[in-house]
């Protein structure tokens, strides 16, 4: 623990946790072992919206500098963030979730295992994101069809789908498994499984098997057939078994 950090006596800090300079750990926080929290973070910001539920950060996590987490959320093991991340209350996230620099999660959201959000991603309340989802830089999910209003219902994104850079997904839209939403698209309707969508508004262009890597021989999707970086060995073994 750095000498300048401030840690509440009511926080639960497990073994081998590193906390950087000028970071504040509030009440109602539990941080599990082998986690690193960088400088100038604020962890466990109080809000009545959390109903006094504590913030839980799983083991082997990395929260980089200038990040803010409110109480009321639970993150599994191996959480990893970039810098300057804002995470609100009542988020339930599984293991190996990654949140990119300057991203904002507004709360009341469910996130599955191994989903990755790159820089400047915005995730509104009442959103559901399943396993192995990719949200590329500057993706915006929305939850209010007639803003401003009190209606909140974000998108649902099913496993192994990819939303490319600068795309916008409208409220209540359902993206099925193994879909690609092209860069800069605005998706206004539910998708079909194993499809890719392009345009404003986005339209179905075809089956994802029709998209190839630059070698023009290897299918780009499903992306698990060729992209392995950063995934646990036990998962990669399953992917190989599925191919065989």
């Amino acid at each position: 623990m750095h000498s300048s950090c401030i840690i509440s006596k009511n926080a639960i800090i497990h073994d081998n946790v590193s906390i950087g300079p000028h970071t504040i750990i509030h009440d109602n926080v539990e941080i599990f072992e082998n986690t690193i929290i960088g400088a100038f973070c604020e962890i466990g910001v109080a809000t009545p919206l959390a109903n006094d539920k504590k913030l839980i950060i799983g083991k082997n996590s990395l929260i980089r500098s200038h990040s803010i987490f409110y109480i009321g959320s639970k993150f599994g093991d191996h959480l990893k963030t970039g810098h300057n991340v804002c995470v609100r209350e009542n988020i339930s996230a599984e293991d190996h979730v990654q949140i990119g620099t300057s991203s904002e999660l507004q709360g009341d959201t469910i996130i599955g295992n191994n989903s990755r959000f790159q820089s400047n991603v915005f995730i509104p309340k009442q959103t559901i994101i399943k396993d192995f989802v990719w949200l590329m830089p500057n993706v915006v999910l929305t939850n209010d069809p007639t803003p401003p209003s009190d209606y909140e219902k974000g998108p649902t994104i099913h496993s192994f789908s990819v939303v490319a850079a600068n795309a916008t997904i409208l409220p209540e839209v359902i993206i099925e498994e193994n879909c690609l939403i092209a860069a800069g698209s605005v998706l206004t309707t539910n998708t079909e499984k194993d499809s890719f969508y392009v345009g404003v508004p986005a339209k179905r262009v075809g089956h994802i098997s029709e998209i190839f890597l630059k070698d023009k021989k290897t299918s780009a999707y499903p992306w698990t057939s060729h992209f392995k970086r950063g995934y646990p060995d036990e998962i990669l073994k399953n992917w190989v078994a599925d191919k065989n």
Side-chain angles (χ1 to χ4, degrees):
M1 311 292 179
H2 193 273
S3 59
S4 64
C5 65
I6 300 172
I7 302 175
S8 167
K9 63 181 180 180
N10 296 318
I12 301 173
I13 311 295
H14 290 261
D15 293 339
N16 199 34
V17 171
S18 173
I19 300 176
H22 305 288
T23 284
I24 301 172
I25 310 295
H26 292 280
D27 296 342
N28 290 334
V29 171
E30 184 169 8
I31 302 172
F32 280 84
E33 59 264 29
N34 304 319
T35 289
I36 299 172
I37 299 179
F40 296 97
C41 293
E42 190 169 4
I43 308 299
V45 177
T47 171
L49 298 176
N51 296 316
D52 292 325
K53 292 184 296 182
K54 68 181 177 181
L55 169 67
I56 298 175
I57 304 294
K59 65 184 179 181
N60 300 307
S61 294
L62 171 61
I63 298 175
R64 290 188 169 90
S65 65
H66 296 89
S67 293
I68 298 174
F69 279 68
Y70 283 66
I71 61 170
S73 292
K74 181 179 181 181
F75 287 85
D77 300 339
H78 301 280
L79 168 68
K80 184 179 292 185
T81 82
H83 305 278
N84 197 38
V85 163
C86 181
V87 178
R88 294 289 309 226
E89 65 283 336
N90 302 324
I91 293 172
S92 176
E94 299 295 334
D95 297 340
H96 293 280
V97 170
Q98 297 186 14
I99 305 170
T101 292
S102 297
S103 292
E104 180 177 351
L105 283 64
Q106 285 204 321
D108 298 301
T109 288
I110 297 171
I111 303 171
N113 290 288
N114 292 282
S115 284
R116 299 183 179 182
F117 316 140
Q118 296 192 338
S119 298
N120 296 293
V121 167
F122 180 83
I123 299 175
K125 292 188 176 205
Q126 302 298 334
T127 295
I128 298 173
I129 297 171
K130 299 296 183 69
D131 300 336
F132 297 97
V133 168
W134 282 85
L135 302 182
M136 297 304 185
N138 300 305
V139 164
V140 175
L141 310 183
T142 63
N143 68 351
D144 186 350
T146 55
S149 76
D150 293 324
Y151 185 85
E152 295 177 340
K153 179 62 176 175
T156 297
I157 305 177
H158 286 273
S159 299
F160 299 102
S161 285
V162 178
V163 183
N166 295 297
T168 300
I169 312 300
L170 267 59
E172 300 185 275
V173 165
I174 298 172
I175 300 176
E176 296 291 352
E177 286 189 7
N178 290 319
C179 283
L180 170 66
I181 312 303
S185 295
V186 178
L187 185 66
T188 62
T189 60
N190 297 343
T191 73
E192 298 178 29
K193 185 179 178 181
D194 301 316
S195 300
F196 68 103
Y197 288 73
V198 178
V200 182
K203 304 294 184 182
R204 186 180 185 275
V205 176
H207 193 277
I208 56 169
S209 63
E210 301 169 34
I211 305 173
F212 290 86
L213 298 177
K214 287 294 185 180
D215 63 11
K216 298 184 180 179
K217 298 177 182 178
T218 306
S219 294
Y221 298 96
W223 55 265
T224 54
S225 63
H226 62 88
F227 186 85
K228 314 294 183 186
R229 187 174 69 242
Y231 290 103
D233 289 341
E234 60 269 22
I235 288 172
L236 298 182
K237 291 176 183 178
N238 290 335
W239 290 354
V240 171
D242 289 344
K243 287 181 67 177
N244 294 335

